Amino acid sequence: NYLISKNKTVFINANDPIQVKNTSKANRFSFGTNTNTDVLIDFIKAQPFVKCLFNNLNIQSQLIGDYNFTNISAAIAIGNFFKVKDIDIKKGIENYIPTNNRSQIIEKNSNKIILDAYNANPTSMHAALLNFEKQSGYKTVILGDMFELGEEAKKEHQNIADLAVNLDINQVILIGANFYKSKNNSKKVLQFESFEAFKTDYNLSLIQDKSILIKGSRGMALER
C-alpha cells in the first residue's frame, strides 16, 4: 500500500493470483510463465537442480527443487528491469552455489544429503517433501520443529507428519517438542523430543547409501 501511494514499482509473480489481485492499483512489473507478463520465464525441469528458459537462454542453476523456480524467476525479473544483460543474468544464477544451510547438496561417505536447515514453515516444508519424494533410492527425511506458528503449531506439525508418512519416503525422523506430540502409527516414523535425544538414542552409523533431506527451523540448528 505504501508503494502504491508513492507510485513506486512493485515486482510481482504473475502466477500468484493473490499477488495479482492485491496489486491491481500498483505500478507493477510482472514475471512468470504467463505470456502476458513483462518477463516470461519457462520452467524446464528440476532433477534435482532447477533449469529454466529466459529469452532463448537455457539457465542451469545450482538450486534444488521446483519450488526454487520462483526465486530464480524473481532474480531474473529484477535483473531485467535494471537493464542487466541477459548473458550476465545467466552467469549470475549459474554461478550461485547455496551455502549457509540453504538447499545445500552434500555428498558424505555413501550418502547424498540435502541440507535445508536454515528455516522452515508449513509451505516450505510441504514443497521440500514433495520435491524430495522424486529422489531415487532409499530416502530418509530428518525434520525439525517449525517455530512461531502459535495456536496453529499442533495442527501444522501433524499435517507435515501425515504428509511425510504418506509419501514415497522410506524413513521419517521427527525432532522437536511439537513433532514429538504428533500422532503416528507408521513403523517408518521415529520421534525424538529434542536434538539431544536424537543424538543420544539414534545410531547414525545406520545411515548408509541413502538420500537424506534435513529440514527445520533455524532454532533447531539441524545442521549439527
Side-chain angles (χ1 to χ4, degrees), residues 118-172:
Y118 181 81
N119 207 345
N121 57 54
T123 301
S124 67
M125 192 78 85
H126 186 276
L129 284 169
L130 291 182
N131 182 75
F132 183 68
E133 184 188 29
K134 302 173 186 176
Q135 298 291 313
S136 59
Y138 190 100
K139 297 182 283 285
T140 294
V141 294
I142 302 175
L143 306 179
D145 272 2
M146 301 172 286
F147 291 177
E148 301 175 3
L149 294 181
E151 295 179 355
E152 300 296 312
K154 180 178 179 181
K155 181 184 75 171
E156 295 295 354
H157 282 85
Q158 186 66 58
N159 288 344
I160 291 299
D162 292 342
L163 174 66
V165 167
N166 290 317
L167 293 177
D168 180 21
I169 293 172
N170 302 92
Q171 185 177 49
V172 178

Side-chain angles (χ1 to χ4, degrees), residues 185-204:
N185 296 319
S186 173
K187 293 182 179 179
K188 69 180 182 181
V189 177
L190 295 174
Q191 292 168 274
F192 301 91
E193 195 167 8
S194 66
F195 179 82
E196 289 70 26
F198 164 71
K199 186 177 179 180
T200 300
D201 298 336
Y202 187 80
N203 184 359
L204 290 174

Side-chain angles (χ1 to χ4, degrees), residues 47-77:
Q47 297 177 338
F49 300 111
V50 177
K51 185 176 183 180
C52 60
L53 180 68
F54 163 65
N55 280 356
N56 295 317
L57 284 175
N58 281 307
I59 299 178
Q60 178 64 67
S61 78
Q62 299 298 310
L63 289 169
I64 62 166
D66 49 17
Y67 53 91
N68 266 316
F69 171 66
T70 302
N71 297 324
I72 293 169
S73 298
I76 292 171

Side-chain angles (χ1 to χ4, degrees), residues 71-88:
N71 297 324
I72 293 169
S73 298
I76 292 171
I78 293 169
N80 177 266
F81 179 84
F82 287 106
K83 311 300 182 185
V84 177
K85 293 179 181 179
D86 291 354
I87 190 64
D88 289 332

